[in-house]
Amino acid sequence: MEQSRQFFRTPPEHGRVRKTGFVEVRSFWNIYRSFDRLWVMLVLYLQAAAIVAWDGETWPWQNLRGNQHREAQVRVLTVFITWAALRFLQSLLDIGTQLRRAFRDGRMLAVRMVLKAIVAAAWVVAFAVLYKGIWSQRDSDRGWSRGTDSRIMKFLYAAAAFLIPEVLATVLFIIPWVRNALEKTNWKICYALTWWFQSRSFVGRGLREGTFDNVKYSIFWVLLLAVKFAFSYFLQIRPLVKPTKEIYRLSKVTYAWHEFFGQSNRFAVFILWLPVVLIYLMDIQIWYAIFSSMAGAFVGLFAHLGEIRDMKQLRLRFQFFASAMSFNIMPEEQHVNERTFLPNRLRNFWQRLQLRYGFSRSFRKIESNQVEARRFALIWNEIITKFREEDIVSDLEVELLELPPELWNVRVIRWPCFLLCNELSLALGQAKEVQGPDRRLWTKICKNDYRRCAVIEVYDSTKYMLLEIIKERTEEHGIVTQLFREFDESMNLDKFTVEYKMSVLQNVHAKLVALLSLLLKPNKDITKIVNALQTLYDVVIRDFQAEKRSMEQLRNEGLAQSRPTSLLFVDTVVLPDEENATFYKQVRRMHTILTSRDSMVNVPKNLEARRRIAFFSNSLFMNIPRATQVEKMMAFSVLTPYYNEEVLYNKDQLYKGNEDGISILYYLKQIYPDEWEFFVERMKREGMSDMKELYSEKQRLRDLRHWVSYRGQTLSRTVRGMMYYYDALKMLTFLDSASEHDLRTGSRELATMGSSRFGSSRREGSAGGSGYYSRASSSHTLSRATSGVSSLFKGSEYGTVLMKYTYVVACQIYGQQKAKNDPHAYEILELMKNYEALRVAYVDEKHSAGAEPEYFSVLVKYDQQLQKEVEIYRVKLPGPLKLGEGKPENQNHALIFTRGDAVQTIDMNQDNYFEEALKMRNLLEEFNRHYGIRKPKILGVREHVFTGSVSSLAWFMSAQETSFVTLGQRVLANPLKVRMHYGHPDVFDRLWFLGRGGISKASRVINISEDIFAGFNCTLRGGNVTHHEYIQVGKGRDVGLNQVSMFEAKVASGNGEQTLSRDVYRLGHRLDFFRMLSFFYTTIGFYFNTMMVVLTVYAFVWGRFYLALSGLEEYITKNTSTTNNAALGAVLNQQFVIQLGLFTALPMIIENSLEHGFLNAVWDFLKMQLQFASVFYTFSMGTKTHYYGRTILHGGAKYRATGRGFVVEHKKFAENYRLYARSHFLKAIELGVILVLYASYSSSAGNTFVYILLTLSSWFLVSSWILAPFIFNPSGLDWLKNFNDFEDFLSWIWFQGGISVKSDQSWEKWWEEETDHLRTSGLWGSILEIIIDLRYFFFQYAIVYRLHIANGSRSILVYLLSWTCILLAFVALVAVAYFRDRYAAKKHIRYRLVQAIIVGATVTGIVLLIEFTNFKFIDAFTSLLAFLPTGWGIISIALVFKPYLRRKCKQGSYSMKPSAEDFIFLKCLLAKKDMEFKLNPFSFLKVICFIILEGAVLLSDIRYVDGTWSSTVV
């Protein structure tokens, strides 16, 4: 390192720029400081409720009514003292955390802070003096007199003055536009008036919503708080009053140990109230989950979510589907100004009602000659084609789902086959049963439009087909023509049922089906076809006609041969060639309509295809903005940050198996069996003759790699999905300008092309079980590049769409990958080749001799004409890119390369769907709408988590995430108005954000959750964030427990950092009270309250442990009525509800009920419980608690790469231990030991039922935290694997650390990394950590008095003498270590002798204790439960001191650092050598204190090597 580079020079204090506007301080007090209004409300209500409930009346107003309760009335006034004290606390916190700002922001800030503290303190003193005066007057008057009433009135006058700011805030809340105007104005008088309350800041001004929105979220929170406070009073606070009084009145309490504070029982009261108070402080989160679920369901119902849930409901609404698509997807220029004129709005509203409920006939039916129907057919068929390209439908299902073009002179709309299934059979049944004229039968058939269309289509198709296969200008052709002419005349005259026998229709149907079956056979036998035609003719002529006619009459009428020289139809049947795929496709369609007997509700059989069709169809009946033409729509871009994730899986990754031989390809075949079947079918249609070609032939192998990659979380999947925008816009551009002629000819051309594409690889049997399909030649295929609507384009569509859409992938290290010939770079280049609108942005680093490296942001594309990658832009950067967090920095540098008015941020694990891309221009119109008093600046988009089918754990995560991104976001946007930016599908107003700091904050650590800060920034700067559920984007989630845990650790740590941020502080103070509540309980409050649940478990378990081992529990039980009251039961129930996941399950059940039906939702929930979902949610709760609490206390938040891969391998126990030891295992062991001790010493444990009720939830938490890594680990309960894991774990434990050793190789290195957060912890964090760790010493203090050797003594000497055991064990450990290092290698006998002496001394000591004291052998095992926690406590405290000791050593400070002479003294003492040395007690003390503080971790730093002591620390 060059010495001239002053990298580590301390900057001068003078002129140094410090933090401005806000100073982040790591402390739990930030939660109170940012949301002080919430905590003031909770504390004041708790105090008032406890005072009111103390008198014991049933209803609270009974305790405040009349003069007999005057004492309670006066005591309630103490809430003002508390309120003033809380204000004083807030002012002190401001001074303690923000005083440093005064040096930068001006002295007036310091003046304001000090003045606010003085005023708050004055209010505390004033209220206290006035309150004291009331009681003094009452005592002097010996009762409540006019004098005391006068004192009370003085107090109330002071309280009224105290409340003036709150009253003013309430008035401004009721008329929000006044407050917005005052905050936005630049008048100096307004600054002067608001100087006392807030700093002069340009963010967070004018955040109040409109009156209507105010009313909505106010009603929500008023109802919620009313229910919460009523529940808290009657089921939490009031039931505790009686046991509190009984315990408090107890005297002469007998403790089982030495009590330092006399015979007081106040601590028992504290223990009784503590878990109740903790639950009281957090249970608004539970009530929020309940109320938000109900509100979300209510809003979703009005938004028409879930009206079409499956294919059966789609079948009922498909008649309106075309009109819905035309109304919403296709533009109408006369509606451009619909936002301006009320009549247009009313007309639009009426049209939506007609569309949704079929009020008008024009919306119920579409006819085949309408432009609307042709557009619908093109769009619908293109969607089905995309489904086939994605392998989620088969070739057969394509024919069943697609909408056929106008062929064969069919007079009606030709609905997809899956809609017409079984309709012809039902029509035949009606024809046989209904007696009467034609009109009656036809009216009954026409009641079902599908049935009417099926009958007419089969009739017209049969007529066309027969005339097509019979030679023209032959007598047979004339006979068939005349026969159908008679049919037509009979139907026109309403005499068909009279002239023909309806009962014979079944026979005609059977003969026609037989004919079609022969036509569809691969090897067509003309003789059999002729025989089938003759049979059909005979049935129609001889049996079907009601009036028998002679052969002469038939000849005269042209229905028989004039000269029967040969058999009928012989030599006159000419079948179309196999090349005529359109003909046979229509024959297959006829056969399907004629033979289907079931409802085809399982078409398509793939669940994903069904879900997408149902959602798309349902979304078209929701309230969607009208679309404009593509040429007039907003231009937009999509931005995806990418680092080094998988682009496309390679061959080795596909086939490489784990230790059980399971590969990714095999895994996906089992998860997606139908999609694999469809993929193989597609490959065979495209020319594959043998399955081996998939693994050997280059193009087939690449197709296989794509198939696998499109089912993972890869960049290729994301790019394919986002480029659907490009395809959809091209199609919409064509449809915008296409004429009726273009649509008619285009639909027929596509029908021919589609027949060629899907004319091969047919199977016998349809989805309904009655179709028959021929296997055509595999040579009849069509190139993928020319298939679809793109073949109809005129050429101008490409340029139009490129002006409206750009996709930028920010591949940060693409330049380095190209330089290294990384396969990822090649695959990214292939993506640019295949997708014209794709652009890649990366950071290029240029090195020149003797100069600083230069950095550039570069944008490249692939030029199709030059056939190479070309550079578009190159922007020089001032320095290295990664100064902050990597992902937001990656987004920020590439944002300049996006174009248009909007930008959609898409993560690398997302997907998109073609049918959803069609609605993008509708979504962009939302920017022009007002939501409340503001237009939106961020459009929230619904997500679908596509990884739910991978595993049970992925299902749990998917269900939880789905409810969050649907119902949760819906409620946040409306009615609560606090939705932020939670995910990457959101669409930003690009131009608005470019001038307001961009879409990502990238400061290191504090902005680790960069997504949500965009929402914070938007809200603080007056923007509006909405949520829209008529469009969805795919989203992948982590699928393994370790992946999920790392993701939740990152999010929890990110929320911990958010708690410290200025954004959260400003929102907590600038939002009105109810929006502040919504904001808190949906962001950091969720994690804080999750931590509170775990703290409640700790408070309950430790409290019970204290009561049991102190003897208080037994004494209280004998001398009071009960302590296990309703309040404790309510606490345990609420805690258990949260642990089981019901806390998060309720929104899931409600949302599933809304979109999939109540029974399906309940059944899914039950299946999840059977698959241990509650274990997972309880385990997840521990992850959130640990990382959120640790981040606020010590910091250490960091980005954790989860990999996003498939979990097909068993995770070793050592890996799970490294991940969960501190967060779950140690805490679970601690709670488990306490529960065991409580069961051993508690008087309540004698009653098994009572013990189970008290500890069930705690035991469930303990077992979940320990067993979840085994349950959710592949082969986690396999005995052989666990045995191998144990050996691997021991190897990892005993492996010595080193310089280049990683944490997964050595326990020592892992331990250093795991405790690294203590190195950066602040003073108060270290003090709090020490205070928390002191709880471990309580085990020893509580247990030693219960040992038999104590003989019931309560003397403090019992506890002090117990420490001799720890010192003896420590001396024995050091002695063994010393003699092992000195004699184990060369003088092994001496080492064994020392071991024998130590063991013998230990055994002798135990024997002597048994003989001469009350010591029993069981005491030895009980002592372990006392001394092991003490040892862990010493280690935990030593870890806190470790950074301080090392810093002191580096600085050369003496203090307690042992010198070399001190170690020589210890060495001589241990070696017992006959050498002279001066006995120095202080040296001995320093060495012992040093070793104890360093503990087991630092013990390895002091080693005896080659006869001398050495220390890496010293």
Side-chain angles (χ1 to χ4, degrees), residues 850-1143:
E852 294 279 350
E854 294 181 324
Y855 300 89
F856 300 87
S857 285
V858 183
L859 183 70
V860 297
K861 72 172 184 178
Y862 187 83
D863 192 304
Q864 301 291 341
Q865 295 181 347
L866 300 177
Q867 292 293 302
K868 68 175 184 178
E869 176 188 297
V870 295
E871 191 173 292
I872 306 174
Y873 298 112
R874 175 177 287 267
V875 180
K876 187 174 181 179
L877 300 175
L881 171 71
K882 194 174 178 182
L883 298 177
E885 294 295 335
K887 183 178 175 182
E889 293 281 26
N890 196 7
Q891 287 184 157
N892 287 336
H893 99 90
L895 184 62
I896 59 173
F897 298 130
T898 58
R899 296 186 302 173
D901 304 288
V903 58
Q904 184 179 28
T905 51
I906 292 294
D907 212 344
M908 215 291 297
N909 61 336
Q910 296 194 243
D911 195 4
N912 198 16
Y913 314 112
F914 175 78
E915 66 275 12
E916 300 304 315
L918 294 170
K919 295 176 284 188
M920 188 60 185
R921 59 178 177 176
N922 302 78
L923 179 68
L924 293 175
E925 288 299 306
E926 297 283 2
F927 282 119
N928 299 319
R929 284 186 169 188
H930 277 84
Y931 284 85
I933 61 175
R934 299 180 179 90
K935 290 183 179 180
K937 301 305 176 187
I938 298 179
L939 303 178
V941 177
R942 174 191 175 112
E943 291 178 335
H944 165 69
V945 182
F946 55 73
T947 51
S949 61
V950 174
S951 64
S952 60
L953 198 64
W955 183 28
F956 306 154
M957 192 68 180
S958 170
Q960 178 178 325
E961 189 73 10
T962 299
S963 66
F964 173 74
V965 299
T966 54
L967 184 143
Q969 301 300 302
R970 184 188 314 145
V971 175
L972 292 181
N974 181 32
L976 300 185
K977 300 296 288 183
V978 291
R979 188 190 187 276
M980 303 297 169
H981 169 53
Y982 289 100
H984 269 66
D986 291 359
V987 183
F988 291 79
D989 186 332
R990 177 175 171 271
L991 300 179
W992 191 86
F993 272 92
L994 280 176
R996 290 167 176 81
I999 62 174
S1000 296
K1001 282 193 173 184
S1003 297
R1004 188 173 292 277
V1005 180
I1006 199 165
N1007 294 135
I1008 187 173
S1009 297
E1010 83 289 344
D1011 300 348
I1012 198 170
F1013 282 95
F1016 292 167
N1017 188 41
C1018 177
T1019 303
L1020 284 169
R1021 296 177 183 273
N1024 191 10
V1025 185
T1026 58
H1027 183 66
H1028 309 279
E1029 296 191 84
Y1030 54 79
I1031 187 171
Q1032 67 176 353
V1033 174
K1035 179 79 170 182
R1037 278 300 179 202
D1038 305 292
V1039 298
L1041 183 64
N1042 292 5
Q1043 294 178 347
V1044 171
S1045 297
M1046 286 190 288
F1047 170 76
E1048 291 187 335
K1050 184 192 78 169
V1051 175
S1053 300
N1055 274 268
E1057 295 295 337
Q1058 291 169 34
T1059 306
L1060 318 179
S1061 67
R1062 64 184 65 194
D1063 307 77
V1064 168
Y1065 174 79
R1066 287 169 177 165
L1067 286 168
H1069 282 260
R1070 300 297 179 88
L1071 294 175
D1072 61 66
F1073 180 71
F1074 292 129
R1075 286 182 74 198
M1076 180 271 296
L1077 292 178
S1078 303
F1079 172 67
F1080 175 74
Y1081 285 104
T1082 54
T1083 51
I1084 65 172
F1086 173 79
Y1087 288 87
F1088 177 76
N1089 290 320
T1090 301
M1091 184 180 66
M1092 291 284 283
V1093 174
V1094 177
L1095 291 179
T1096 303
V1097 178
Y1098 268 81
F1100 171 75
V1101 172
W1102 273 98
R1104 287 282 156 177
F1105 181 52
Y1106 171 84
L1107 292 176
L1109 273 76
S1110 66
L1112 272 175
E1113 184 181 58
E1114 183 178 1
Y1115 185 83
I1116 292 173
T1117 303
K1118 291 179 179 179
N1119 293 276
T1120 61
S1121 57
T1122 180
T1123 56
N1124 302 323
N1125 49 56
L1128 188 57
V1131 168
L1132 295 176
N1133 289 335
Q1134 287 178 293
Q1135 169 203 329
F1136 201 40
V1137 160
I1138 297 173
Q1139 285 181 211
L1140 289 175
L1142 303 178
F1143 173 39

Side-chain angles (χ1 to χ4, degrees), residues 431-448:
K432 185 177 180 180
E433 295 173 0
V434 175
Q435 302 295 326
D438 290 10
R439 189 173 301 275
R440 181 179 178 186
L441 174 61
W442 189 241
T443 301
K444 193 163 186 178
I445 291 176
C446 288
K447 287 182 178 179
N448 187 309

Side-chain angles (χ1 to χ4, degrees), residues 515-783:
L515 174 62
L516 295 177
S517 300
L518 292 173
L519 290 175
L520 292 174
K521 284 188 175 181
N523 300 319
K524 298 173 178 57
D525 190 333
I526 298 297
T527 303
K528 292 183 179 180
I529 294 174
V530 169
N531 292 337
L533 283 171
Q534 293 171 349
T535 305
L536 178 62
Y537 171 80
D538 289 341
V539 170
V540 171
I541 294 299
R542 301 181 185 279
D543 302 333
F544 189 40
Q545 296 178 353
E547 182 182 349
K548 295 289 185 180
R549 284 183 276 187
S550 63
M551 288 298 300
E552 189 64 28
Q553 289 176 318
L554 293 174
R555 291 191 185 97
N556 293 334
E557 296 174 2
L559 298 177
Q561 288 178 311
S562 57
R563 295 179 181 178
T565 56
S566 61
L567 295 176
L568 200 62
F569 302 114
V570 174
D571 298 330
T572 60
V573 175
V574 178
L575 300 180
D577 295 335
E578 292 291 342
E579 301 293 335
N580 190 353
T582 304
F583 175 82
Y584 292 104
K585 182 177 181 179
Q586 302 308 313
V587 172
R588 285 194 297 272
R589 175 179 169 85
M590 282 182 59
H591 188 273
T592 301
I593 297 174
L594 287 167
T595 58
S596 60
R597 298 296 181 186
D598 58 8
S599 60
M600 285 194 188
V601 292
N602 293 325
V603 175
K605 71 177 184 178
N606 184 271
L607 297 179
E608 176 65 8
R610 277 193 247 173
R611 184 200 63 80
R612 285 171 56 177
I613 291 175
F615 179 84
F616 176 68
S617 57
N618 184 83
S619 67
L620 295 183
F621 294 95
M622 298 171 67
N623 297 323
I624 308 179
R626 297 300 302 273
T628 61
Q629 289 186 349
V630 174
E631 292 182 350
K632 299 179 180 180
M633 69 175 283
M634 284 186 178
F636 75 102
S637 300
V638 174
L639 177 62
T640 298
Y642 167 83
Y643 185 69
N644 196 28
E645 295 88 350
E646 290 294 340
V647 180
L648 194 71
Y649 286 117
N650 57 44
K651 182 178 179 180
D652 293 336
Q653 290 173 307
L654 299 189
Y655 297 109
K656 183 180 179 181
N658 63 3
E659 55 189 5
D660 295 322
I662 298 176
S663 63
I664 291 179
L665 180 60
Y666 175 82
Y667 182 65
L668 292 177
K669 285 182 184 179
Q670 308 309 310
I671 296 175
Y672 307 108
D674 48 352
E675 296 181 25
W676 172 254
E677 177 187 342
F678 301 155
F679 168 70
V680 173
E681 180 186 39
R682 177 165 63 89
M683 290 296 98
K684 290 181 178 179
R685 171 165 49 81
E686 294 180 359
M688 185 183 74
S689 57
D690 190 354
M691 286 290 292
K692 294 181 180 179
E693 294 182 19
L694 280 178
Y695 317 120
S696 56
E697 202 270 323
K698 184 177 181 180
Q699 182 57 42
R700 300 291 175 231
L701 178 59
R702 189 160 188 85
D703 289 336
L704 178 62
R705 292 172 59 196
H706 277 103
W707 185 86
V708 173
S709 300
Y710 290 156
R711 277 140 192 87
Q713 300 179 50
T714 58
L715 181 63
S716 58
R717 177 175 189 165
T718 304
V719 171
R720 181 196 66 171
M722 294 308 116
M723 292 310 297
Y724 279 145
Y725 286 132
Y726 185 65
D727 297 339
L729 290 177
K730 285 191 299 183
M731 181 176 183
L732 293 173
T733 304
F734 165 74
L735 294 177
D736 285 348
S737 60
S739 64
E740 183 176 358
H741 174 73
D742 294 335
L743 296 174
R744 185 189 311 113
T745 57
S747 61
R748 291 179 179 175
E749 180 181 347
L750 286 178
T752 304
M753 294 167 58
S755 301
S756 300
R757 294 174 65 204
F758 304 114
S760 62
S761 187
R762 300 301 182 194
R763 299 176 298 151
E764 288 195 5
S766 69
S770 54
Y772 194 90
Y773 290 85
S774 62
R775 184 179 300 276
S777 171
S778 61
S779 62
H780 301 304
T781 61
L782 189 70
S783 171

Side-chain angles (χ1 to χ4, degrees), residues 769-879:
S770 54
Y772 194 90
Y773 290 85
S774 62
R775 184 179 300 276
S777 171
S778 61
S779 62
H780 301 304
T781 61
L782 189 70
S783 171
R784 293 182 233 183
T786 60
S787 62
V789 184
S790 59
S791 60
L792 307 180
F793 292 165
K794 304 171 184 177
S796 61
E797 294 86 356
Y798 297 92
T800 301
V801 175
L802 285 175
M803 291 296 293
K804 295 296 180 181
Y805 175 67
T806 303
Y807 183 30
V808 178
V809 180
C811 302
Q812 182 176 336
I813 58 172
Y814 177 60
Q816 301 176 25
Q817 291 173 332
K818 288 193 297 182
K820 298 176 182 177
N821 293 322
D822 193 322
H824 289 80
Y826 171 76
E827 298 298 345
I828 292 173
L829 181 62
E830 286 296 312
L831 289 176
M832 287 193 285
K833 285 183 183 179
N834 295 331
Y835 299 107
E836 184 179 8
L838 177 62
R839 307 289 184 264
V840 171
Y842 67 94
V843 177
D844 192 22
E845 183 177 348
K846 293 291 185 182
H847 293 272
S848 56
E852 294 279 350
E854 294 181 324
Y855 300 89
F856 300 87
S857 285
V858 183
L859 183 70
V860 297
K861 72 172 184 178
Y862 187 83
D863 192 304
Q864 301 291 341
Q865 295 181 347
L866 300 177
Q867 292 293 302
K868 68 175 184 178
E869 176 188 297
V870 295
E871 191 173 292
I872 306 174
Y873 298 112
R874 175 177 287 267
V875 180
K876 187 174 181 179
L877 300 175

Side-chain angles (χ1 to χ4, degrees), residues 290-305 967 970-971 1147 1150-1151 1153-1154:
I290 296 172
F291 275 77
S292 65
S293 299
M294 294 188 294
F298 184 78
V299 174
L301 285 173
F302 274 86
H304 305 283
L305 278 171
L967 184 143
R970 184 188 314 145
V971 175
I1150 296 294
E1151 182 63 22
S1153 300
L1154 181 65

Side-chain angles (χ1 to χ4, degrees), residues 93-235:
L93 291 175
D94 287 340
I95 294 174
T97 58
Q98 304 298 308
L99 187 60
R100 284 179 288 173
R101 287 175 50 201
F103 296 100
R104 181 66 186 174
D105 293 355
R107 302 294 180 182
M108 292 303 296
L109 177 63
V111 172
R112 188 185 70 178
M113 289 180 179
V114 174
L115 284 178
K116 291 181 77 170
I118 294 173
V119 171
W123 275 115
V124 175
V125 173
F127 280 133
V129 170
L130 290 173
Y131 184 75
K132 178 64 176 176
I134 295 173
W135 288 103
S136 299
Q137 186 68 39
R138 184 243 189 200
D139 293 339
S140 63
D141 295 344
R142 298 182 179 179
W144 301 103
S145 61
R146 290 185 178 180
T148 55
D149 291 343
S150 176
R151 297 268 188 170
I152 292 173
M153 290 306 299
K154 289 181 181 179
F155 191 100
L156 293 177
Y157 290 146
F162 181 78
L163 291 175
I164 288 176
E166 307 302 329
V167 174
L168 179 61
T170 304
V171 172
L172 293 178
F173 172 74
I174 297 174
I175 45 176
W177 60 271
V178 175
R179 177 148 188 168
N180 283 341
L182 291 174
E183 290 183 353
K184 290 182 178 179
T185 186
N186 291 322
W187 295 347
K188 293 185 178 180
I189 183 66
C190 293
Y191 283 124
L193 292 174
T194 59
W195 172 81
W196 178 263
F197 301 101
Q198 58 191 29
S199 301
R200 183 174 179 178
S201 175
F202 293 97
V203 296
R205 299 166 64 180
L207 300 186
R208 298 301 186 269
E209 294 293 334
T211 303
F212 182 66
D213 291 321
N214 250 2
V215 171
K216 286 193 297 183
Y217 61 70
S218 297
I219 291 175
F220 176 92
W221 277 107
V222 167
L223 292 175
L224 188 152
L225 293 176
V227 173
K228 180 261 187 300
F229 287 139
F231 180 88
S232 297
Y233 180 82
F234 290 105
L235 292 176

